[in-house]
């Protein structure tokens, strides 16, 4: 380990020049009118970007009288089928809900019939308050030949 007072070994790197080989293909001269114009843009932070403007390639116009590959009717039918398939799950839940609601209403009707029927049975078969009639106490009764003797 070297002391701070003594410098250590120093490595020196010398840059090597890059040698360019001549192009293997001959350069073709270009007419000046086909070279696109160079455009420079100054960015807000002060940098300058320079480049060629690109013109979009023209898209061919559709020929008159040609029809699309898929008809609109077929697309509408397919979308309707997809929508119906998406709704089917909800329809199954809806029918299950309606069946459960019908069973619940049926149980309520049966409960009401049992309670109301029980109330009617108590009213009909239950003890009646006496309204001041005659009470007869039979201590010893004798029945002979379908006659009642007291």
């Amino acid at each position: 380990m070297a002391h701070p007072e003594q410098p250590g070994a120093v490595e020196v790197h010398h840059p090597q020049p890059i040698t360019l080989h001549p192009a293997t293909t001959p350069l073709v001269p270009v007419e000046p009118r086909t070279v696109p114009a160079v455009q420079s843009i100054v960015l807000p932070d002060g940098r300058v970007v320079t480049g060629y403007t690109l013109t979009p390639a023209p898209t061919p116009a559709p020929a008159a009288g040609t029809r699309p590959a898929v008809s609109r009717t077929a697309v509408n039918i397919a979308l309707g089928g997809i929508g119906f398939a998406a709704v089917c799950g909800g329809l199954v839940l809806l029918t299950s809900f309606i069946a459960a609601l019908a069973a619940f209403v049926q149980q309520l009707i049966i409960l009401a019939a049992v309670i109301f029927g029980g109330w009617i049975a108590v009213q009909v078969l239950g003890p009646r308050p006496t309204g001041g009639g005659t009470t007869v106490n039979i201590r010893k009764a004798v029945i002979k030949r379908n006659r009642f003797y007291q």
Side-chain angles (χ1 to χ4, degrees):
M1 183 166 177
H3 291 287
E5 299 100 26
Q6 297 177 353
V10 178
E11 291 185 31
V12 178
H13 294 282
H14 297 286
Q16 298 292 326
I18 298 174
T19 57
L20 297 176
H21 299 289
T24 57
T25 59
L27 296 176
V28 179
V30 179
E31 297 181 19
R33 61 184 172 154
T34 60
V35 175
V38 177
Q39 184 177 9
S40 295
I41 299 173
V42 179
L43 297 176
D45 60 354
R47 293 183 294 163
V48 178
V49 178
T50 304
Y52 295 106
T53 58
L54 299 175
T55 56
T59 57
T66 59
R67 300 186 66 159
V70 179
S71 69
R72 290 184 186 265
T73 306
V75 170
N76 290 337
I77 291 173
L79 289 177
I82 291 170
F84 180 73
V87 169
C88 281
L91 291 176
V92 168
L93 289 176
L94 182 64
T95 54
S96 299
F97 175 75
I98 291 172
L101 185 64
F104 178 71
V105 169
Q106 181 181 8
Q107 293 293 326
L108 286 180
I109 291 171
I110 291 172
L111 180 66
V114 168
I115 291 174
F116 187 66
W119 181 76
I120 290 177
V122 168
Q123 296 300 319
V124 170
L125 301 175
R128 295 185 185 147
T130 57
T134 306
T135 302
V136 177
N137 292 324
I138 302 173
R139 296 173 193 238
K140 193 175 189 182
V142 177
I143 300 174
K144 289 183 180 178
R145 295 184 189 165
N146 293 331
R147 291 205 168 223
F148 179 74
Y149 298 101
Q150 191 174 4

